[in-house]
Amino acid sequence: MPFRRGDVVLVLFPDSNLRTAKRRPALVVQATNLGTGLPQTIIAMITSNQARAGHSSRVVVPLSSEAGRRAGLLTDSVVMTDNLATVRDSEIDRVIGSLNDMSAVNEALRHTLALR
């Protein structure tokens, strides 16, 4: 896998209808070196729509925070662990930053996937 867990990437993220997609930032959530042999990566959508914040499956990343600055995002954002996708590595344009502390994302993923 050319991407590491915690990388913030710019990617062609599929819409839920699976017919259209939008270029946007996303967070790599799969394990680094997962070793499936498939050229694909599991990602969580990142949105700038603050109305989507406030749910246990979502993590706010303020631009004014250290995490926000390291993530390479242009505005306050929300990582949506309830909107995951598996995309071909070739659909990922580039790494724009990273989230070093994944503890809040881990907790949100546990909520989303009922891993309590």
Side-chain angles (χ1 to χ4, degrees), residues 55-59 79-82 102-114 116:
H55 189 274
S56 298
S57 64
R58 298 174 184 168
V59 177
V79 177
M80 298 183 54
T81 69
D82 57 322
M102 292 285 285
S103 58
V105 172
N106 292 341
E107 185 61 29
L109 282 165
R110 279 191 285 279
H111 179 78
T112 297
L113 301 173
R116 304 247 172 227

Side-chain angles (χ1 to χ4, degrees), residues 10-102:
L10 187 62
V11 61
L12 189 60
F13 196 97
D15 291 328
S16 58
N17 64 18
L18 300 179
R19 291 186 175 91
T20 57
K22 178 181 177 182
R23 192 146 323 276
R24 63 167 59 250
L27 178 67
V28 175
V29 294
Q30 83 176 33
T32 301
N33 299 321
L34 186 58
T36 64
L38 299 172
Q40 61 190 28
T41 301
I42 303 169
I43 57 176
M45 186 177 96
I46 298 177
T47 182
S48 60
N49 184 347
Q50 293 301 302
R52 300 228 174 132
H55 189 274
S56 298
S57 64
R58 298 174 184 168
V59 177
V60 175
V61 181
L63 191 59
S64 62
S65 69
E66 180 69 23
R69 288 188 292 278
R70 288 183 179 206
L73 300 167
L74 301 177
T75 186
D76 294 344
S77 298
V78 180
V79 177
M80 298 183 54
T81 69
D82 57 322
N83 195 344
L84 302 175
T86 302
V87 297
R88 293 177 55 91
D89 290 343
S90 61
E91 297 302 326
I92 298 175
D93 292 339
R94 66 185 183 279
V95 176
I96 61 172
S98 65
L99 287 181
N100 295 336
D101 182 359
M102 292 285 285

